[in-house]
Amino acid sequence: MRDCFCTINLDQEEVYRTQVVEKSLSPFFSEEFYFEIPRTFQYLSFYVYDKNVLQRDLRIGKVAIKKEDLCNHSGKETWFSLQPVDSNSEVQGKVHLELKLNELITENGTVCQQLVVHIMACHGLPLINGQSCDPYATVSLVGPSRNDQKKTKVKKKTSNPQFNEIFYFEVTRSSSYTRKSQFQVEEEDIEKLEIRIDLWNNGNLVQDIFLGEIKVPVNVLRNDSFHQAWYLLQPRDNGNKSSKTDDLGSLRLNICYTEDYVLPSEYYGPLKTLLLKSPDVQPISASAAYILGEICRDKNDAVLPLVRLLLHRDKLVPFATAVAELDLKDTQDANTIFRGNSLATRCLDEMMKIVGGHYLKVTLKPILDEICESSKSCEIDPIKLKEGDNVENNKENLRYYVDKLFSTIVKSSMSCPTVMCDTFYSLRQMATQRFPNDPHVQYSAVSSFVFLRFFAVAVVSPHTFHLRPHHPDPQTIRTLTLISKTIQTLGSWGSLSKSKSSFKETFMCEFFKMFQEEGYIIAVKKFLDEISSTETKESSGTSEPVHLKEGEMYKRAQGRTRIGKKNFKKRWFCLTSRELTYHKQPGKFIERKDAIYTIPVKNILAVEKLEESSFNKKNMFQVIHMEKPLYVQANNCVEANEWIDVLCRVSRCNQNRLSFYHPSAYLNGNWLCCLETSENALGCKPCTAGVPADIQIDIDEDRETERIYSLFTLSLLKLQKMEEACGTIAVYQGPQKEPDDYSNFVIEDSVTTFKTIQQIKSIIEKLDEPHEKYRKKRSSSAKYGSKENPIVGKTS
């Protein structure tokens, strides 16, 4: 048995890792990671490790998917066979090479040819043990009867070395040339020669590490005596390597990869305007936003960009209300209100995820931390009880957690975001109008969202809502499942008011009897009243700072060490809406000697990347504030990007924000970038354009609109069918006896829907033109062999 964990890597740079699943040969991770990719990459890789406490963790195998192949797997759940991890196959980066062929006349008058190899630079070499490598290259001319090798100088601490070294090789020998042994050497065939360049990391006292190789046949100079290009480094050719490898197992992945080319804002105006008009269109089923949901194969694809765009422009509540009203028309039983998986319920689910993150954190996180970090057993199913378990004790443990969680939830109305309250108010009013004779429906309409789809889901899956760093262990999952079941039934107004539970299990029915008291009914009713009222809620940010991000990173020491050098120290960083703090250990209880250093958010003047050359370290950024700049190194490129993004957003409205900054550090009496000697000298580079001050949620309108354009483009065939269906309905007004193409679509008003579809098609056609121009320009500008589009050489 093994203790396994899995890492996600961009090339060889680890960006995330899962929890460790102990003592298993079939570990189930069930973890989800979402991230923006901040740089170019060649492979998205997944490594499976066997955890080793005393020695280095053992790499069992890997799955490496080429960037260009990601779209083939996107949205699919696939089993990938694990491949062996060989240091010779762990390569990334590219080499810039120049070859020339010169003719020389030798001393005896014969003509020979000379090959000039100019190795210019490399880019994107891997990190070695988290640090930039010390690379050098060997340059070999290889042929049937020769192997001449030369070597560059070692470049210290860099992933992008500039070698700029030239090597000369004689490539054609005269037939009169003889060796001392008197063997006749035939004239070499240039067609059979190749240049091989191997990249190595200089190990000093240990063995050098192979970083990759390229092979370039000399016959590339057949038609031209000059050749210059970038080449992708390849794994080492191991000769007659056995094609059969041991079965290392397989890894099941579900990857969703999207790549958007976002045009300048002015291109998206017409589509944005059409979408933002959606809440005002009568009927709502004839609006562009609703049509998008109708024609998308997976409604989830449409919901996320749509909700973000409408939310950003304060149009979500009227749109969600209108589509929810459409749902209510089809609901015949008040007990099943908003239980389906429609466009309305998905929009509201997504809205609660986006705006309710902080609400969940302040309400649930302390109790979830307590549950996950304690080992109290809460199993009450007689069949699942372990030997020595006491069911009565377990029942008490479970009741304690349920009561504590329930009490916190029903007292949390002041923290409920205003957008959620406004939506719940609308749902309540509509439900009352739809079922005027049911006094309970106004509450069940709200509880079906806030308890069933919000709190209960977050309790059973805290990792998905960023309330816990990892998926909990099996025993804790079982505890959270039992708590979640009880909480959602407690919050279900129908179950409470009618004194009946929806549990199928006898043991849960027995347990739930503990909660069928008047006090619980009154508490739920009061809570639902409060979160569905029109009174303006005071933002929780005015009394409590909003927790935004935390994690471990390295900071450059502000003071000097005994030997006179400033070094890097590991610290725990925490950012709230008010301040950035860092100290030695994470957690609430900090010893007095472990000082907390604080930078008020209002004092941040700029947040920018720091050039790698400053300290020969990757993934660095600087927080420029009233005192000296704080230099920080994140663990990987994704984490660095996330910290820069969130720090920029939280400080975007600050007065005195800088317009210029220094991209490098101030070392040894001058700025490395501009060589100014004064530490207070004005920056030499314009600051990155910040987000406009009026944006309150991190939403890029253009990107969301581009996503919607892509979805319309992919669904043009369905849009066409819907257009034809509108025409059919308009012509034939009689009863529909048999199901047909348009029975799949909701078309209440064929004339208005037809007009909207015409507008969508017209806008999409106009957007197609600049996209096509961009694609042509991109394909022509990225010449094969350029840095952006390097040549893929021979592989093993």
Side-chain angles (χ1 to χ4, degrees), residues 180-403:
K180 287 181 181 177
S181 58
Q182 300 301 310
F183 281 114
Q184 196 76 13
V185 179
E186 294 179 8
E187 189 172 323
E188 283 183 313
D189 184 357
I190 285 183
E191 297 289 318
K192 293 179 181 176
L193 293 177
E194 69 178 8
I195 285 290
R196 194 180 80 206
I197 294 177
D198 295 82
L199 265 291
W200 300 85
N201 178 59
N202 184 35
N204 291 323
L205 302 176
V206 295
Q207 190 175 356
D208 292 356
I209 297 171
F210 175 75
L211 299 178
E213 68 175 24
I214 62 165
K215 295 176 181 178
V216 184
V218 175
N219 65 17
V220 296
L221 297 167
R222 186 191 299 139
N223 301 321
D224 193 350
S225 61
F226 175 81
H227 172 76
Q228 186 188 99
W230 282 88
Y231 284 84
L232 272 181
L233 284 168
Q234 299 296 327
R236 178 186 276 152
D237 184 351
N238 285 335
N240 299 321
K241 194 165 60 173
S242 170
S243 58
K244 188 180 177 185
T245 57
D246 295 334
D247 182 10
L248 301 172
S250 48
L251 182 66
R252 185 170 61 166
L253 300 168
N254 190 341
I255 302 164
C256 293
Y257 175 74
T258 55
E259 193 174 81
D260 294 319
Y261 301 108
V262 185
L263 301 171
S265 298
E266 58 265 24
Y267 287 97
Y268 299 110
L271 182 56
K272 213 182 290 182
T273 303
L274 187 65
L275 290 162
L276 293 171
K277 274 187 196 169
S278 294
D280 306 319
V281 174
Q282 295 289 338
I284 193 68
S285 59
S287 68
Y290 193 90
I291 290 168
L292 177 70
E294 281 286 275
I295 63 172
C296 276
R297 185 175 60 87
D298 184 350
K299 274 189 171 60
N300 283 334
D301 289 344
V303 164
L304 183 58
L306 198 54
V307 167
R308 288 168 73 87
L309 182 65
L310 294 173
L311 187 62
H312 185 53
R313 290 296 193 95
D314 295 326
K315 296 281 186 181
L316 184 65
V317 175
F319 178 74
T321 303
V323 290
E325 197 167 11
L326 207 57
D327 271 13
L328 279 172
K329 284 181 185 176
D330 296 331
T331 307
Q332 303 305 318
D333 183 358
N335 291 321
T336 61
I337 193 167
F338 298 128
R339 291 296 175 95
N341 214 6
S342 63
L343 181 63
T345 55
R346 289 184 188 192
C347 281
L348 290 172
D349 284 350
E350 202 55 56
M351 176 270 286
M352 291 191 295
K353 273 186 192 173
I354 294 170
V355 304
H358 179 64
Y359 181 29
L360 286 175
K361 193 160 271 185
V362 296
T363 309
L364 300 184
K365 193 174 188 317
I367 303 162
L368 290 174
D369 286 344
E370 183 186 336
I371 295 166
C372 293
E373 287 160 18
S374 71
S375 54
K376 286 183 182 178
S377 176
C378 295
E379 185 56 74
I380 58 173
D381 183 353
I383 298 168
K384 293 187 177 178
L385 285 172
K386 293 178 184 174
E387 194 177 337
D389 271 2
N390 184 316
V391 72
E392 291 304 317
N393 286 349
N394 290 1
K395 203 175 280 188
E396 281 305 310
N397 291 341
L398 186 58
R399 175 160 191 180
Y400 165 76
Y401 285 140
V402 170
D403 269 335

Side-chain angles (χ1 to χ4, degrees), residues 10-11 37 39-45 64-73 257-259 261 778 788:
L10 287 175
D11 296 320
I37 297 173
R39 62 170 176 82
T40 55
F41 68 103
Q42 206 177 333
Y43 287 92
L44 180 67
S45 304
I65 305 168
K66 278 186 177 177
K67 180 187 174 182
E68 49 267 34
D69 294 338
L70 279 172
C71 54
N72 301 332
H73 304 291
Y257 175 74
T258 55
E259 193 174 81
Y261 301 108
R778 192 166 177 265
E788 295 75 27

Side-chain angles (χ1 to χ4, degrees), residues 26 30 42 48 265 277 301 397 464 469 509 532 599 654 686 755:
S26 301
S30 185
Q42 206 177 333
V48 179
S265 298
K277 274 187 196 169
D301 289 344
N397 291 341
T464 308
C509 290
S532 58
I599 301 171
N654 288 354
K755 281 181 183 173

Side-chain angles (χ1 to χ4, degrees), residues 551-554 569-571 573 621 632-634 639 643:
E552 203 167 57
M553 296 188 289
Y554 292 84
K569 296 176 179 177
K570 191 185 285 187
R571 292 290 181 264
F573 285 77
F621 63 92
V632 184
Q633 183 188 25
E639 190 181 273
W643 273 102

Side-chain angles (χ1 to χ4, degrees), residues 414 418 421-422 425 529-538:
M414 285 306 291
T418 308
C421 295
D422 291 346
Y425 173 76
D529 278 334
E530 287 169 350
I531 63 167
S532 58
S533 72
T534 52
E535 293 172 21
T536 305
K537 294 284 178 292
E538 182 188 355

